[in-house]
Each structure stands twice: as structure tokens, then as C-alpha cells.
Amino acid sequence: MRVEQLPVQTNTGNYNVYIGKGLRHQVETYLPKQYNQVFIITDSHIANMYLNDVVDSFSSEVKVSTYTVPAGENSKQMDWFHECHTYAIESGLERSDLIVALGGGVVGDLAGFVAATYMRGVDYIQVPTTILAHDSSVGGKVAINHPQGKNMIGSFHQPQAVIYDTETLDTLPGTEWRSGMAEVIKHALIADEEMLEQCFDLPSFDAISNETIADLLKKGIHIKASIVQEDEKEKGVRRYLNLGHTLGHAIEAESGYSSITHGEAVAIGIDFALFLSAKQFPEANLPNEAFRKWLEKHNYPLSSKLEEYNLDALMEKIKKDKKNNHQQIRIVLLSSIGEPTLVPYSEQSLMAELIEFRNEVRNS
Amino acid sequence: MRVEQLPVQTNTGNYNVYIGKGLRHQVETYLPKQYNQVFIITDSHIANMYLNDVVDSFSSEVKVSTYTVPAGENSKQMDWFHECHTYAIESGLERSDLIVALGGGVVGDLAGFVAATYMRGVDYIQVPTTILAHDSSVGGKVAINHPQGKNMIGSFHQPQAVIYDTETLDTLPGTEWRSGMAEVIKHALIADEEMLEQCFDLPSFDAISNETIADLLKKGIHIKASIVQEDEKEKGVRRYLNLGHTLGHAIEAESGYSSITHGEAVAIGIDFALFLSAKQFPEANLPNEAFRKWLEKHNYPLSSKLEEYNLDALMEKIKKDKKNNHQQIRIVLLSSIGEPTLVPYSEQSLMAELIEFRNEVRNS
């Protein structure tokens, strides 16, 4: 399999996304310039499997330090952010050095935010090891969570490169496949009907070939990169990437970022967004049924999950969503496949919809 | 006295610095646009004196929330940063709202970094209440301290306006005058010989007129703004603004950011930089003697202070300076008045200089 290369343009510079088998053994080769020292941030799960490979990929002239946080969303918070800074300082990391984010979305967001703020900003690259990270590793959004909201504390900081080794996906558990594929199908829903059909036609996730997943990642990244290029700071079209995320983030926050993965929560959010879309745009030919079937086929937690949450508590989280404006809740819906749009809701009307949605899911 | 207006251009947008008497009563008037909600961050000392004035300066349609941190450099750290975020979330602050930094450099840096990272960045303005803040409020450098180094965690985030009420300087204690005037004379040293003479000719700080200090602040801000416009992200000439800061930051860090003010520490650093400059550029006509006299005239803590510090400990801090590159220490010196330059030192040679400097100060 050849190495795919996708250029991404941003206001603060351009970088490449490389997708291929075994790239973790050649990280230094794909860097846009030479660095004196690198500081690799990873998690305990990934460290066991791939940290040595990445460390060994650097030539002996490069000083390599590493720091490992516990695996899981709980590492994406202030205490670990501070610890990363402490270890970076202690390892003598300088402004002209490089931080490497080796792992999934949690490590990418955390390490990226460390890079954004260490000495007011150092270079970093993403070396994603999950499907979900095809989304988070592109676009320069970096952040940590606040107990009261996901990604509430962060900034925009573009990586110098994204180096995607598809071999690392072989060991992903089913729940991580579901988490990542929710963002893949989200990209298809907002931009590419053909890709959406490709998603609907997929076999069970453990039967997907390396070539197929590389192809879907490339398409997803291309969609994301095109939108980010147009609107780096999320003043306009970038908001559409939040399809499913208003309710999804609220569910994640309510679960304490532990009992459900990001993508699985977003999948419920997309399902809700399609439910709302069908009511807002009754003439549109929306794939609500096919999407619900796809969720069931791939064992997404849907009906069972929603029963676990207090709707008032979810609404409190939704009201803190970053897309809101003038106390008005704004949700990304689809007026048709590939046509996202931002629709305002009052708290009351959205609560009524949420209750109706839960009943519908319960009875489906 | 009329209101002075200085435009500042940056890559991410232009803003104005307003300097005048009583401006804290007209904050809303000087905003570049209308905001729905503002969140004022200040400290306990300033809150007592000016918070009500600033709150009252907003019309009744604007929702105003406030958060007060304890006065002093110790508030510029992770815990207070997190608290500011918590209160901003709880007050319902949205992405399109405004944060107001009301206070000196500590509040400006802290509130600015909160603004830089709250929901990945919201607008903010600086309402400085110290002379020192003429330096920190312009240029978009925002940060908090790490126990191992000052301003280690931060970013670049330009304010929407700087609204400087010179009346707030009337209540400044002597130590704050010394702290701020060190940065004023630093600006003169690196860029304006005439202004330097004006500084040397000043009467004792408590006898300076409102017009004179407004004039010096305007000149200082103009120098800083010109340099920042040229080099926003400190890749080149902006480094020259760090004259005196390598040793100054080390002294502050060693003192735990409490027993000496920023500017008083920088004054020692400038004295050291002039000492080194005279040795590097023996032909230059440097103002070492006049500067030392100026320090003595205005009661800066110099010789006594340096004895309090362990030089090895200072060197450890200096080695972590953000200007360093490839393990080489780099210090801003003057090849003549208005001509700063970056000079590399090895750890050993700098230590020898530091010992010699301390002896010279001891015997002076």
C-alpha cells in the first residue's frame, strides 16, 4: 500500500497528512524540518504498543523525551496538562523543539494544547492511533475538558504534520471502531452522498480491509480539511462539523467522560439531529432509517443509553454549548444529505423534542 | 487633558490604546463593538477602588459579571486560571462575549490567557491600573507562571482595546512606581535616547505630573507597539524587549514571585545587561553610570537584593529562559543606546560574569 499525502492549508501555515502502513517507524522522515529535541506525549495503552517504535524512528542526533498519561478521557484535564508542562520543562524542551502527540483524540487534544501553550507555543505533530483521531488530528483544535463542559479550555494550534499509521488501527477494540466510524459517517452526511452509501454498505467493522479504512480516512480528512481551510476559527461553515455534537457532548459530560466514547455519544447526537432535521425539512430525503439501521448493525448503544440520563441535566450542558449565541441554542441539522445548516431552538422547544426523541427511540 | 489614541497593528487585527484621565468611567464608549455580556476579572486590591466604576460604565443592556482574584503574582497560576474558567462558565459567558482585564500586569496576563483559551478564544480588553501594565497590556503576550518558570504557560492573544486611565496611577505605592518605571526606562534604552534623558532627568517618582507620566507611557507603548507590529510572535526583534529579563525572571522565580516586584527584578537584570554590554562593546558610549545613579536615586533594591540569591539556583532558572536555543543562553545587550542585540553565553562564562557583577555591585 502506498503512502497517501493530503495537503492542508491554514492561515498559519500549510502541512501534510500522510496515511500509510507502518509510518510510525518513519516519523522523522515525514517531518517538514529538522528538530533538535522532541518530546513525545502518549498514553499508557499506546505506550505499551508503539512508543518504542516511534522513539526508535528518530536518529541518534535527536534528543527524545517521553511522557505517558493514563489512557482515557480523564487525562484530558487541567492536572495532566500541568504535569505535561512540568515534564517538558524538566526535560529541557525549548521553543524551537517539537512535541509529538502519539495516540488517539485525547492525547492529540491534550498534547496539542500543551504545544499551543508551552512557552506560548511550540511546533507539534499528530501521530494518530485511532479512527476517531482522523477527525481530531486535523484542523488545529486543541483543548482540555472542564468539569462543566468538554473542550471548554483550549485554542487553535495547527500541527506541522499528521502521520497516520493505519497498522495501529488493527488492534483497536470494537468500541473504538464505533467511536471513530461515527465521525467518518458524520463527514459523509455533511458533504458526500457517495461516501455515505459506502458507509452504509460496510461489512461489520472487524471485517473492513486496511485499504478500505485508509480510503475512508482519506475522504473524511479531505472533507474536514476543506472546511477548516475555509473557516479556521469556526466563525461560519466549520460549525457544521459539529453535527451530532451538541447532544453528544452533553451526554459525554453527563457520563463523566468515561462510560461512553466520544463517537458513540456523537452517534446518538446525529440520530437526534436527523430526527430534528426530518421535522424541520419534511420534504427532504433524509437517511434517518438507514442511519438507525447502521447504528443497530454495528451495535451502537442508542436506546438503552438515552434512558440512563436525566434530560434536565443534559439540557444544562446543552445550554453551555460553544455554538450558542445570545442565550439561543443552535443545532446543526441537515436540510438534505451534504447540506448542513444551523437551526436555533429555545430551551423549551428543544426539551420537548428531546422527550419526543427519547420516546421514539424507546418504541423503535 | 485630552485622550491620547495610539493605533496598534497586528496580524490578527488592529486595536487602539487610549490614554486619559477618568477613562474607567467610559469603558463601553471605547469598545470597538457592542457586546452582549462582559466578564470582568480583577484583583482584590483594585476591586475595592475601581471595580464599581467600571461596572457602572456599562449600559443596562449589557450583562456584567465579575470575578476577583487575590492581589499579587501568586494569582497568576494554574489554580486561579481554572477558577476564572469555572466562574466564566457559571456566569454563562459565550464565545461572542467580552472579558475585561482590570488591573496590573498579573490580572492582564491571567485574564488575557483565560480569554485566549475560554472556548478556544474570546475577545478581551485591557484596562491597566499600573505603570508596569503599559508594557504587558500591549502586544498580546498572555500567560500564567509555572513553579519552574515565569510565563511558561501562555499564548499570543491580542486585546480588542487597551483603555488606560491615568487617574488610577495616583494611588500606586512607591514599589509599583519602581516596577513600572523599570519597563519605561527599558523602552527608552532599546529605542529612544531622548526619552532616556527624559527618564534620567525625572524628579522623585511621587513628584511626577499626570501629564509627564501620560507622555512617558505613550512613548513606551509606541516603542513596544512598533516592535510588536514587526514581530508579533517573537521570532526576531521582539526578543529585544527582553532586555534585563533573563536575570530579572530568574530573580523573580527564585523569590517565589513575592518578595520583589517584576520591574525591580528587571532593573537588576538591566544593570547586569549593561555590565555585560560594557565588556562586549568597550568602545560604546553606554549609560551604565547614569543608570546605576538612577536606580539609587529612586531607591531600587540592587546590591542588597543580589546577595540574597544563590547564584547556582539563579543559573538553573536562566537555563530555562524561553530565548535560549540549542542549550545556549542568549542575552539581550546594548551595542549602544537604542541598539539592542542578542549575545550567546555558555553557562560557565555567564556564571563567571554573574560572580564578577555581584562583586562589583557589592563594592560600588
Side-chain angles (χ1 to χ4, degrees), chain B residues 7-198:
Chain B
V8 181
Q9 281 160 9
T10 76
N11 293 330
T12 46
N14 305 333
Y15 60 93
N16 285 316
V17 179
Y18 302 95
I19 307 174
K21 281 185 85 158
L23 297 193
R24 71 186 180 283
H25 298 290
Q26 307 157 56
V27 169
E28 195 178 5
T29 319
Y30 291 99
L31 297 182
K33 65 174 198 178
Q34 179 83 34
Y35 292 92
N36 219 37
Q37 181 171 354
V38 304
F39 182 68
I40 304 173
I41 298 176
T42 191
D43 73 32
S44 50
H45 180 63
I46 297 300
N48 286 334
M49 295 188 287
Y50 308 120
L51 182 54
N52 285 344
D53 295 343
V54 176
V55 170
D56 292 345
S57 83
F58 287 94
S59 51
S60 58
E61 306 92 74
V62 182
K63 182 184 167 194
V64 180
S65 315
T66 69
Y67 184 65
T68 303
V69 300
E73 183 84 21
N74 279 330
S75 293
K76 224 177 103 172
Q77 43 109 328
M78 198 65 92
D79 291 348
W80 289 107
F81 172 70
H82 193 259
E83 283 295 290
C84 287
H85 274 278
T86 303
Y87 278 78
I89 295 170
E90 288 179 353
S91 69
L93 197 73
E94 296 182 352
R95 223 184 230 173
S96 54
D97 294 330
L98 180 75
I99 288 178
V100 176
L102 170 65
V106 168
V107 164
D109 281 7
L110 170 67
F113 190 45
V114 172
T117 55
Y118 185 73
M119 295 185 173
R120 295 197 185 87
V122 295
D123 285 354
Y124 79 113
I125 60 163
Q126 298 269 13
V127 183
T129 59
T130 64
I131 295 167
L132 184 63
H134 93 281
D135 181 49
S136 55
S137 66
V138 175
K141 271 191 178 184
V142 294
I144 54 176
N145 300 327
H146 187 279
Q148 298 195 40
K150 194 172 157 76
N151 296 330
M152 286 301 278
I153 306 176
S155 59
F156 292 90
H157 191 54
Q158 300 294 340
Q160 297 299 306
V162 177
I163 301 170
Y164 218 133
D165 182 354
T166 51
E167 263 177 21
T168 64
L169 307 177
D170 295 344
T171 52
L172 279 186
T175 184
E176 274 300 321
W177 270 90
R178 282 192 290 277
S179 187
M181 291 303 291
E183 294 284 2
V184 169
I185 204 166
K186 178 201 78 179
H187 286 131
L189 279 163
I190 61 174
D192 186 341
E193 188 159 5
E194 205 173 303
M195 179 183 168
L196 183 64
E197 290 306 320
Q198 189 185 0

Side-chain angles (χ1 to χ4, degrees), chain A residues 78 82 86 89-90 94 96 117 119-120 141-142 146 148 152-155 320 322 325-327, chain B residues 78 82 86 89-90 94 96 117 119-120 141-142 146 148 152-155 320 322 325-327:
Chain A
M78 198 67 90
H82 193 258
T86 303
I89 295 170
E90 287 179 354
E94 296 182 352
S96 55
T117 54
M119 295 184 173
R120 298 198 183 86
K141 271 192 179 183
V142 295
H146 187 280
Q148 298 197 40
M152 286 301 278
I153 307 176
S155 58
K320 298 201 175 90
K322 295 193 286 297
N325 197 15
H326 296 203
Q327 277 93 48
Chain B
M78 198 65 92
H82 193 259
T86 303
I89 295 170
E90 288 179 353
E94 296 182 352
S96 54
T117 55
M119 295 185 173
R120 295 197 185 87
K141 271 191 178 184
V142 294
H146 187 279
Q148 298 195 40
M152 286 301 278
I153 306 176
S155 59
K320 297 200 175 90
K322 294 193 286 299
N325 199 13
H326 296 205
Q327 276 93 47

Side-chain angles (χ1 to χ4, degrees), chain B residues 293-346:
Chain B
K293 273 195 184 141
W294 186 84
L295 293 179
E296 286 162 5
K297 174 178 178 182
H298 297 292
N299 302 311
Y300 279 83
L302 180 58
S303 43
S304 60
K305 269 292 160 192
L306 209 59
E307 297 293 337
E308 292 172 20
Y309 299 98
N310 177 306
L311 296 191
D312 290 324
L314 287 179
M315 187 56 68
E316 280 308 304
K317 302 290 181 191
I318 286 172
K319 280 160 65 183
K320 297 200 175 90
D321 189 79
K322 294 193 286 299
K323 288 181 301 304
N324 296 344
N325 199 13
H326 296 205
Q327 276 93 47
Q328 202 174 45
I329 300 164
R330 301 195 296 175
I331 301 199
V332 182
L333 302 185
L334 293 182
S335 62
S336 69
I337 296 169
E339 292 293 339
T341 177
L342 210 57
V343 177
Y345 282 86
S346 71

Side-chain angles (χ1 to χ4, degrees), chain B residues 166-291:
Chain B
T166 51
E167 263 177 21
T168 64
L169 307 177
D170 295 344
T171 52
L172 279 186
T175 184
E176 274 300 321
W177 270 90
R178 282 192 290 277
S179 187
M181 291 303 291
E183 294 284 2
V184 169
I185 204 166
K186 178 201 78 179
H187 286 131
L189 279 163
I190 61 174
D192 186 341
E193 188 159 5
E194 205 173 303
M195 179 183 168
L196 183 64
E197 290 306 320
Q198 189 185 0
C199 288
F200 285 150
D201 292 343
L202 285 174
S204 87
F205 291 158
D206 53 14
I208 294 178
S209 71
N210 208 296
E211 283 66 26
T212 300
I213 191 63
D215 180 55
L216 286 169
L217 292 176
K218 188 183 155 194
K219 285 174 179 163
I221 289 172
H222 176 71
I223 291 166
K224 169 129 190 196
S226 309
I227 289 175
V228 170
Q229 274 166 219
E230 199 179 328
D231 175 27
E232 192 168 336
K233 293 288 179 76
E234 194 163 333
K235 308 278 185 195
V237 294
R238 186 163 183 170
R239 293 186 181 124
Y240 297 149
L241 292 169
N242 284 301
L243 179 70
H245 283 62
T246 306
L247 179 58
H249 280 167
I251 289 172
E252 272 191 286
E254 269 302 289
S255 79
Y257 304 111
S258 55
S259 65
I260 188 166
T261 64
H262 173 67
E264 287 171 318
V266 165
I268 298 174
I270 294 174
D271 199 42
F272 181 49
L274 287 172
F275 169 86
L276 295 175
S277 300
K279 295 178 82 172
Q280 289 278 350
F281 308 103
E283 308 297 312
N285 185 22
L286 291 165
N288 292 35
E289 207 177 321
F291 184 75

